[in-house]
Amino acid sequence: MSVNPADGAVMGAVYGSDAMRAIMGERNALQRMLDVEAALARAQARLGLIPAEAATAITAAADVARLDLPALAKATAAMGFPTVGLVKQLSALAGPEAGRWTHWGATTQDILDTALVLQLREAIALLQADLNALIAALAALARAHRDTVMPGRTHAQQALPITFGYKVALWLDPLITTRERLVQLKPRLLKLEFGGAVGTLASLGADGPRVAAELAKELDLVLPAIPWHVARDGIAELGCWCGLLDGTLAKAATDVMLLMQSEVGEASEPAGPGKGGSSTMPQKRNPIGCEYVLVQARAAQGQVPQLLNAMIHEHERGAGAMQLEQLALGQVLLLTHGALVTFLPIAQGLEVDAARMRRNLGDGGGLIMAEAVMMGLAPKLGRGTAHEVVHHAVQAALREGIDLATALAKDPRVSAVLDEAGIATLTDPAGYLGSAAASVEAVLARL
């Protein structure tokens, strides 16, 4: 019955994750709704508003396995939301006496939103654990390759030398910031929704605030200053957070994919039987993991605007915006986690070819060191003259098919101030890394 490939029995293997599907899936959503109804009964019983025996019976009955799902689907088709049908079944399961006290003073959206928050708490814990693992893997990679020299590239062309550790640190730094953002958004997101029909808890009279506080305590959620039925900034913030994580993952995956090109060959996804193979070209080793990071990241980002659009509600209860949010949020979380857990083993097992990196630096005849030579000659010849001398040497190297060091040695203006060892020092990529190592250490210090 699945239409979205991410939810299919076959294609679901490369999209999303079973763990996130279990958290954001319908069955867990229904169980969390039952959990909220049971918690409400217990909170109200402690306050003496309903009989303790009723709370015990409601809690015992609040099991999704006991629901008649076809009947609930039929009720949902009639009402538009599952809450009424769910409460009816819960009341029947709790028994005629206890069932009179279910859903006391609550409204549909109280249950839906609070249940969603319980799901999101699980989803955030899952994302945070895997993000921590990725950060640890990239930190180890950056530390191991802090001094591994490779070409730095701008506009897809070799520019100046960097280290592979520096490149990895560029992936790592925003992930550390993303982890900080996740911690910061939790109290703005993981909060109780309990306001009754229009948010004023009028149905509970003077007991409304006490019930809300007790329910927040029961569920270990933040008690907001005011119900947020129509203030969806917390949900939208989580969606935007996912979009930021997706962008960071996609950038790193793009770099790995480009490093895997046959003509570059500086790094590769970890090998495995049949992994990244072609149905017709046995020699191929495709960056299939990176591809699925990219596609999931882009697909998730594409649905973030839908969550922002779903912030627009009319008055104290909207018409349709909540449903729009429901259509997007689960997919954003599923695909974001999919991108994360797809990139994680790539980072943990990335194959780095340091020799190829060094060889690629030399394939350009050392021209990548032109700026370094100019800066080294400038104190001796003056910047303008140094620029002209190096430009002349670059043109000679290209014209004659020789390397930059040889072309420089032929110029008497250079040989007058530098011997062969001096030229070799200026044209050694390892000697022109600037603050690359310091930058790596600065990023690692943020852990």
Side-chain angles (χ1 to χ4, degrees):
M1 294 292 289
S2 175
V3 174
N4 191 319
D7 298 321
V10 175
M11 292 304 295
V14 291
Y15 291 112
S17 69
D18 288 341
M20 188 61 80
R21 268 185 283 270
I23 290 171
M24 296 307 298
E26 183 175 85
R27 188 175 183 85
N28 195 45
L30 294 172
Q31 182 59 61
R32 297 297 162 247
M33 291 174 67
L34 292 168
D35 292 344
V36 175
E37 294 285 1
L40 175 60
R42 292 193 298 273
Q44 291 173 327
R46 280 197 298 273
L47 295 174
L49 300 178
I50 71 170
E53 297 80 5
T56 300
I58 291 168
T59 298
D63 183 354
V64 68
R66 300 180 67 183
L67 293 179
D68 181 342
L69 296 183
L72 182 56
K74 185 176 180 180
T76 302
M79 298 297 299
F81 296 101
T83 315
V84 173
L86 181 139
V87 170
K88 182 178 180 181
Q89 290 195 37
L90 177 60
S91 299
L93 290 168
E97 182 58 33
R100 296 191 302 117
W101 301 100
T102 57
H103 200 67
W104 196 257
T107 193
T108 287
Q109 197 170 342
D110 290 337
I111 306 304
L112 290 173
D113 280 349
T114 304
L116 174 61
V117 168
L118 297 182
Q119 288 178 274
L120 295 181
R121 183 161 62 188
E122 295 178 82
I124 286 173
L126 180 62
L127 286 162
Q128 192 163 22
D130 288 320
L131 180 57
N132 285 340
L134 178 58
I135 286 171
L138 291 178
L141 200 59
R143 190 175 290 112
H145 292 280
R146 189 193 72 163
D147 302 316
T148 301
V149 184
M150 69 174 295
R153 297 174 172 93
T154 61
H155 300 278
Q157 306 294 311
Q158 287 197 16
L160 293 175
I162 60 169
T163 67
F164 186 63
Y166 178 83
K167 179 179 283 291
V168 175
L170 285 171
W171 306 338
L172 175 60
D173 191 57
L175 289 174
I176 297 172
T177 302
T178 298
R179 180 168 65 182
E180 293 171 351
R181 289 189 181 107
L182 186 59
V183 173
Q184 292 161 1
L185 72 80
K186 281 184 182 182
R188 296 190 289 269
L189 176 69
L190 302 181
K191 55 189 181 182
L192 177 73
E193 178 79 284
F194 190 65
V198 295
T200 61
L201 283 173
S203 60
L204 292 173
D207 293 318
R210 288 200 306 142
V211 173
E214 193 67 23
L215 180 55
K217 180 180 176 182
E218 175 71 21
L219 293 171
D220 193 23
L221 296 174
V222 172
L223 178 65
I226 192 170
W228 48 279
H229 293 144
V230 292
R232 315 301 289 186
D233 55 300
I235 303 296
E237 183 179 7
L238 177 61
C240 290
W241 179 88
C242 287
L244 291 171
L245 175 58
D246 288 319
T248 302
L249 294 170
K251 186 272 183 289
T254 298
D255 282 357
V256 173
M257 181 175 65
L258 293 175
L259 293 174
M260 285 184 69
Q261 286 181 286
S262 303
E263 298 82 0
V264 179
E266 294 173 359
S268 297
E269 294 181 12
K275 186 171 178 60
S278 166
S279 63
T280 186
M281 294 171 285
Q283 85 281 7
K284 291 294 290 298
R285 186 172 171 185
N286 296 320
I288 197 67
C290 292
E291 290 179 26
Y292 276 98
V293 174
L294 286 165
V295 70
Q296 291 181 98
R298 287 169 172 159
Q301 286 180 329
Q303 295 190 68
V304 172
Q306 189 167 318
L307 293 174
L308 295 172
N309 197 352
M311 294 177 67
I312 306 170
H313 289 243
E314 305 83 19
H315 299 301
E316 286 65 55
R317 188 67 57 81
M322 184 169 68
Q323 295 93 316
L324 185 65
E325 179 185 280
Q326 291 170 342
L327 286 173
L329 182 58
Q331 286 297 309
V332 169
L333 288 165
L334 177 64
L335 293 171
T336 297
H337 190 241
L340 177 57
V341 297
T342 301
F343 192 67
L344 176 57
I346 296 174
Q348 291 171 329
L350 193 69
E351 298 175 9
V352 180
D353 191 338
R356 183 66 179 268
M357 290 174 176
R358 190 75 190 212
R359 190 162 71 248
N360 287 346
L361 278 167
D363 283 348
L367 298 184
I368 196 172
M369 298 303 295
E371 180 189 86
V373 174
M374 183 191 73
M375 295 303 293
L377 287 173
K380 299 176 175 63
L381 303 178
R383 188 187 184 284
T385 301
H387 186 281
E388 191 276 327
V389 166
V390 174
H391 178 74
H392 180 269
V394 167
Q395 295 305 309
L398 293 171
R399 183 175 59 252
E400 300 173 27
I402 58 177
D403 60 33
L404 179 60
T406 302
L408 288 166
K410 288 184 174 185
D411 191 318
R413 294 172 293 181
V414 176
S415 58
V417 295
L418 286 177
D419 58 14
E420 184 177 342
I423 293 174
T425 298
L426 285 182
T427 54
D428 179 8
Y432 199 64
L433 296 171
S435 57
S439 294
V440 173
E441 294 299 335
V443 172
L444 293 176
R446 296 187 62 200
L447 295 173

